[in-house]
Amino acid sequence: MKEDNSQSTVLSEVDSSETRPSSTGEDLQRHWQGVVKRRSFLKGLGIASATLSAGALLATEGKAQATGSTNKLSKGDAALLRFAAAVELIEADLWQQYNELGGVQGGNPAYMAALSNLDGDMPQYIADNTDDELSHAAFLNAYLVSKGVEPIDLDAFRTLPSSQATGAKQIGRLTNLLNLNVDLSWYTRYRSTQNPDFGTHFKGPFVIKNEPAIPLNDTDTPPNQPQPVPPATPQEARMQAIANTAGFHFAFIEQGGASLYPTLALKARDAEVLRILISIGGVEIDHFGLWHDKSGNAVSQPLAGVTDPETGLTFPDLNARHSELDQTNLILPEPCEFISKNLPQCSVIRPTLTQNGGAVATIKAFTDDLLFHGQSPAFFTLVNKLAVEADSVRRGF
């Protein structure tokens, strides 16, 4: 991810009504209690926000006071956590869409079957990843309130359309999964001995452009069709290509978080804020490792070679290239340049410099991905303003 240098257009003020408290917090509170009781089974997937009820927030604040953690956040630490909360709300929205259709309790059998062709546990992993993002958003907003800082609310921007396929709830969305340009440069980057923080630019092993990551409707992809490997009909191939795209998109989203959180943590002033950022960031890295492994099954035998009959996208057999930059089971980060070219190479998360992996770079990457396709100018003004504020923080003691 690279920094967008045209930041002058994102500094305008946003109407205060865009950060009003969520009206659906009680729904999330009930949902989250269900997750805690039994993680494997999601409840209330139509939740519009990941903020807690007033009672829960007061309880959180009371616990913070009881433990002596009552210090006000610095302006910089508040900016870091507010941006993190916005990103987690965005991620929770996209993962809820994946979960409705393909999670362990998902409602689209053919999509679930196509995802399971990548790995039999994919529906369970999708459900768990959704739980995690909901918990991150709820915690960050509750923590902000406990410190007297206004939480992030993106409900006004839940205006994008849902999939019309069986299993999808017909509610407004923050994010678009109906046509994506998935950046695959991370795949090559983590197999290389070079680091984007030293100016290296990477290309992905193939191109995913304008491809859906969830089924669009039942005519295009019937929900009860079989999903053999390899697919036998054009509609089966279409559904498998959609599921394969989702697999790579999962990894794209989570590798972004893997870089973002250490970048934010380097700016934190308060030790507790640092603890929050590195603790949530560690889970994002765990997610990335999981999805990196599963996405490789779409481009290795016996599944490799699937072509989407609508878009022409083909998932090649990357192992047939006999190159370490393509080999699908090389999922652990290759040692690379780090800190200085005069030091030994080291296996690390990369990038972690602000210009490559920071807040503005994250929003730019999401935008290039078409994740925000159809969003309003006010949405871009708000998320970019939050990003610029986070990137502008300088660590001080």
Side-chain angles (χ1 to χ4, degrees), residues 39 92 124 223 225 258 311 315:
R39 179 184 176 100
Q124 183 66 61
Q225 69 182 10
T311 65
F315 291 85

Side-chain angles (χ1 to χ4, degrees), residues 40-42 45 96-113 115 123-124 126-127 166-168 223:
S40 298
F41 294 93
L42 299 174
L45 295 178
Q96 282 176 284
Q97 294 182 67
Y98 283 128
N99 192 51
E100 288 170 15
L101 291 156
V104 70
Q105 294 294 302
N108 196 289
Y111 185 56
M112 294 173 68
L115 289 165
Q124 183 66 61
I126 290 169
T166 292

Side-chain angles (χ1 to χ4, degrees), residues 26 46 55 77 80 132 140 170 177 180 231 236 259 275 295 364 366 373:
E26 292 181 1
D77 282 349
L80 298 175
D132 293 347
L140 288 165
Q170 297 309 300
L177 300 178
L180 296 175
E236 292 168 5
S259 285
R275 180 184 177 192
S295 65
K364 183 180 186 301
F366 284 176
H373 179 68

